[in-house]
Amino acid sequence: MNVDRTERGPFSRFSRSSLTATAGRAFGAVPPTALVLLGIVSVQVGSALAKQLFSAVGSFGTVSLRLFFAAAVLMLLWRPSLRMNRRTWTVVISYGVTLGLMNLCFYLALARLPLGIAVTIEFLGPLAVALAGSRRWLDALWVVLAAGGVVLLMEGRGDVNRVGLLFALAAGTCWGLYILVGAALGRHTTEGNGLALGMAVAALVAVPFGVADSGTALIQPWVLVAGLGVALLSSVIPYSLDLEALRRVPPHVFGILMSLEPAMAALIGLIVLQESLHWSQWIAVLCVVAASAGATRGSRPAGLSG
């Protein structure tokens, strides 16, 4: 690979190997399907916590805290080398910029939409990747089903902010690109080094927006603690769980399990944020879940697992 893997002394080598071994034993006792589901719950609880921060630091401030702390944790954990060739740096920077824009757009959508609706619309991005290039007639059914879900969200009763929908669609577009660029990142970097560097680039993209929008409100102690919690719940924990799960289940199984994310988001939004959806919006969420599961089940090993 193109990343320098030189260790940084015996203490670093011992600490990392011990941490990896401990985490491996802990993860090994948990079924892989449970790991994926725990990751989904972690992401959505993190999003619910993030939404509670909006009143204090806004969406820009919240996403900047999430990416800053996630980058800090991952950089400390992996301590990646900066000695990479130009092609690898291009992939890392592309990954980080895409990740940063995806989070900015999603949090702007989340500020205007219920959590379940925002995630459902955003999930159209991975669904498009799963369906891209398909020649099966059955996949046309999944497209129609997903489109029907979107129509129900747009036309169903309940408050649906059109600007929020546009931001969610933009986030979904970035998510689709993120999957494609993430596959390239996996080919050009090792272990979590590319993820750590990409997260640092994403933080560089988002933090200036947060500082400009929220200023000194970002450094309130309780805000910093909440921001660290969002970073752990929304980035560090689920990424770690997903990586371990992908070692033990086929990618298409992983993708089918990930298809539950819009429904889980709607459920977490109801329980944590008291965001109730109209019955037609619940049907819309389930349409997208079914379309994603169907498309992923019939796709070649890639799909949503990138």
Side-chain angles (χ1 to χ4, degrees):
M1 293 296 181
N2 296 317
V3 178
D4 177 37
R5 302 180 64 181
T6 303
E7 297 288 350
R8 290 160 176 77
F11 179 77
S12 173
R13 183 164 53 248
F14 173 78
S15 300
R16 185 181 300 181
S17 61
S18 299
L19 180 61
T20 302
T22 302
R25 287 193 297 270
F27 285 152
V30 182
T33 53
L35 292 176
V36 178
L37 293 175
L38 285 172
I40 291 173
V41 172
S42 180
V43 166
Q44 300 311 327
V45 171
S47 294
L49 175 60
K51 194 162 186 174
Q52 309 242 14
L53 270 176
F54 287 176
S55 60
V57 293
S59 55
F60 283 154
T62 303
V63 73
S64 66
L65 287 170
R66 169 186 170 176
L67 294 178
F68 173 80
F69 281 117
V73 171
L74 290 171
M75 290 291 285
L76 287 172
L77 177 62
W78 292 107
R79 301 185 186 182
S81 171
L82 300 181
R83 293 194 292 176
M84 300 182 296
N85 61 39
R86 181 179 299 179
R87 182 175 180 81
T88 302
W89 267 117
T90 299
V91 173
V92 168
I93 292 172
S94 299
Y95 176 87
V97 170
T98 302
L99 181 61
L101 292 176
M102 179 178 72
N103 280 275
L104 285 169
C105 290
F106 176 70
Y107 276 44
L108 286 169
L110 193 58
R112 295 165 171 83
L113 297 171
L115 176 60
I117 292 179
V119 172
T120 299
I121 295 296
E122 186 194 28
F123 214 76
L124 296 177
L127 178 57
V129 172
L131 292 170
S134 172
R135 293 181 174 85
R136 300 187 315 148
W137 284 104
L138 183 59
D139 285 334
L141 171 63
W142 309 131
V143 172
V144 171
L145 191 60
V150 173
V151 170
L152 277 175
L153 284 178
M154 296 285 289
E155 303 299 332
R157 294 175 58 188
D159 295 328
V160 178
N161 184 287
R162 300 301 173 94
V163 175
L165 286 176
L166 290 176
F167 278 125
L169 283 171
T173 301
C174 289
W175 195 354
L177 293 173
Y178 165 85
I179 291 172
L180 300 176
V181 178
L185 186 75
R187 293 193 299 268
H188 286 83
T189 61
T190 59
E191 298 179 313
N193 297 301
L195 173 62
L197 289 171
M199 192 69 72
V201 173
L204 290 175
V205 170
V207 167
F209 288 95
V211 172
D213 188 52
S214 304
T216 56
L218 290 172
I219 58 175
Q220 298 176 79
W222 76 270
V223 169
L224 292 173
V225 171
L228 176 60
V230 170
L232 293 174
L233 288 169
S234 297
S235 297
V236 178
I237 292 174
Y239 290 166
S240 301
L241 293 174
D242 289 350
L243 284 173
E244 178 62 24
L246 277 167
R247 294 189 179 100
R248 296 157 58 189
V249 297
H252 72 279
V253 174
F254 178 83
I256 291 171
L257 291 170
M258 286 295 293
S259 300
L260 296 172
E261 192 154 343
M264 184 62 70
L267 187 60
I268 295 295
L270 177 64
I271 295 172
V272 179
L273 301 173
Q274 288 77 55
E275 294 177 339
S276 59
L277 302 183
H278 188 260
W279 65 266
S280 62
Q281 294 172 331
W282 278 104
I283 292 175
V285 170
L286 294 177
C287 283
V288 173
V289 168
S292 178
T296 306
R297 186 174 184 273
S299 66
R300 291 180 294 272
L304 304 180
S305 60

